[in-house]
Amino acid sequence: MADSSEGEEEGKLTGGSQQLIVDDDLREMGKKAAWSVSSCKPGNAVLSLRDDNLDTYWQSDGAQPHLVNVQFQKKVKLQLVVLYVDFKLDESYTPGKISIRAGDGFHNLKEIKAVELVKPSGWVHISLSGNDPRETFVITFMLQIAVLSNHLNGRDTHIRQIKVYGPRPNPIPLQPFQFTSTEFITYSAVR
């Protein structure tokens, strides 16, 4: 995967990419979810996060933390969260510290990742994998993205787009690995 963040150390992300680039083995899972936010200004609601338009944005309206909730009907595997934020355009509205939480619902959310964004401009990739190399994704019903603080001590926040990615399912059920040729796929099952 082409890592869009220019620098990453101890939960700090700098930079960003103007092009959204993700691995081919990931798929966008946000279409399967119900999205909600803790608050919004009129005309800058949750739909602005998912409209694929970088000129629109969700703007919070109220006290921090500002929350984006992503709820799925069944448990899903999630591997990557990608945000489009732009310090040059949004200045004090740009998120500074973000916490990503996962759980079965609002009652048992646990923080799985905390990052600090340093003047980001573009697509910022936040991997949900753990410290253990075997933990490449999170299995959850709900993901919550919490904006804990903004740049320049701003009160409300702007996020222009959010994408949530999970691994592509294996096209052949109960098959531990993927065949690449038609001939191998033909002989992959025992009758």
Side-chain angles (χ1 to χ4, degrees), residues 185-191:
I185 292 171
T186 304
Y187 298 108
S188 67
V190 177
R191 291 186 181 190

Side-chain angles (χ1 to χ4, degrees), residues 28-185:
E28 216 280 319
M29 303 291 287
K31 299 172 203 148
K32 298 181 177 202
W35 291 72
S36 63
V37 292
S38 56
S39 65
C40 66
K41 293 265 190 201
N44 299 101
V46 68
L47 294 176
S48 299
L49 289 173
R50 303 286 305 154
D51 64 2
D52 291 325
N53 183 354
L54 299 179
D55 295 326
T56 62
Y57 50 84
W58 163 62
Q59 180 175 339
S60 62
D61 184 20
Q64 291 174 340
H66 305 300
L67 307 175
V68 177
N69 304 305
V70 187
Q71 295 175 284
F72 297 91
Q73 287 186 345
K74 60 182 183 175
K75 278 194 173 184
V76 293
K77 294 178 182 178
L78 300 176
Q79 191 168 342
L80 180 68
V81 173
V82 185
L83 308 170
Y84 191 92
V85 288
D86 197 338
F87 180 76
K88 293 173 191 157
L89 292 175
D90 299 326
E91 297 177 345
S92 67
Y93 290 95
T94 308
K97 289 184 182 172
I98 292 179
S99 169
I100 298 182
R101 305 161 182 166
D104 294 334
F106 289 101
H107 61 284
N108 70 348
L109 290 171
K110 291 190 177 138
E111 183 175 273
I112 55 172
K113 198 65 111 172
V115 293
E116 184 176 341
L117 303 177
V118 181
K119 296 185 179 179
S121 183
W123 293 101
V124 177
H125 293 224
I126 303 170
S127 173
L128 301 180
S129 61
N131 295 334
D132 187 340
R134 295 171 291 185
E135 296 175 9
T136 58
F137 49 80
V138 174
I139 300 174
T140 187
F141 275 109
M142 181 176 179
L143 195 72
Q144 185 179 74
I145 301 162
V147 178
L148 305 177
S149 68
N150 292 332
H151 282 74
L152 307 174
N153 295 321
R155 181 177 157 224
D156 291 332
T157 195
H158 286 182
I159 298 179
R160 295 180 174 269
Q161 291 292 299
I162 298 179
K163 305 280 185 188
V164 181
Y165 290 92
R168 286 194 187 279
N170 192 342
I172 303 170
L174 305 174
Q175 188 72 31
F177 47 89
Q178 283 185 281
F179 291 112
T180 55
S181 73
T182 308
E183 187 175 3
F184 278 132
I185 292 171

